[in-house]
Amino acid sequence: MKKDELAARRHRFEQRIMQERLQITSAVRDWNEATAPIDHGWQQVSRYKGPILLGSGLLVTMLSRNKGRVGRLFKRSIVVYTMARRAKKMIGR
């Protein structure tokens, strides 16, 4: 009788373990689906990491030579950003 009880208990544990494994597999799949856009975006950024670092280093070098350029560049970047937003709104209509 003791062996039958132990076998039944072991069977219940194995079933519970299998169910938990299935739940974990499902949770991992859901997690991967939810984070796929973030992963794709990070891969795109990583692909262009070299040119981004090179460009930012070049920009810092150029700006450090002449302090007056920083203000002008900042003002121009705001104007370009505003114009791009307005153009996007006009095209979207």
Side-chain angles (χ1 to χ4, degrees), residues 28-87:
V28 167
R29 187 180 320 114
D30 292 343
W31 176 263
N32 285 336
E33 288 175 5
T35 59
I38 297 168
D39 292 338
H40 180 69
W42 182 252
Q43 287 174 356
Q44 291 289 70
V45 169
S46 295
R47 184 177 298 152
Y48 299 111
K49 184 172 61 173
I52 289 171
L53 290 174
L54 182 65
S56 62
L58 184 62
L59 181 67
V60 167
T61 303
M62 288 174 48
L63 292 177
S64 66
R65 290 183 180 182
N66 188 353
K67 304 291 187 220
R69 281 188 185 175
V70 176
R72 285 192 310 246
L73 186 63
F74 182 70
K75 288 177 187 176
R76 289 178 184 167
S77 63
I78 291 175
V79 169
V80 168
Y81 173 73
T82 305
M83 289 175 60
R85 268 189 23 202
R86 288 185 183 176

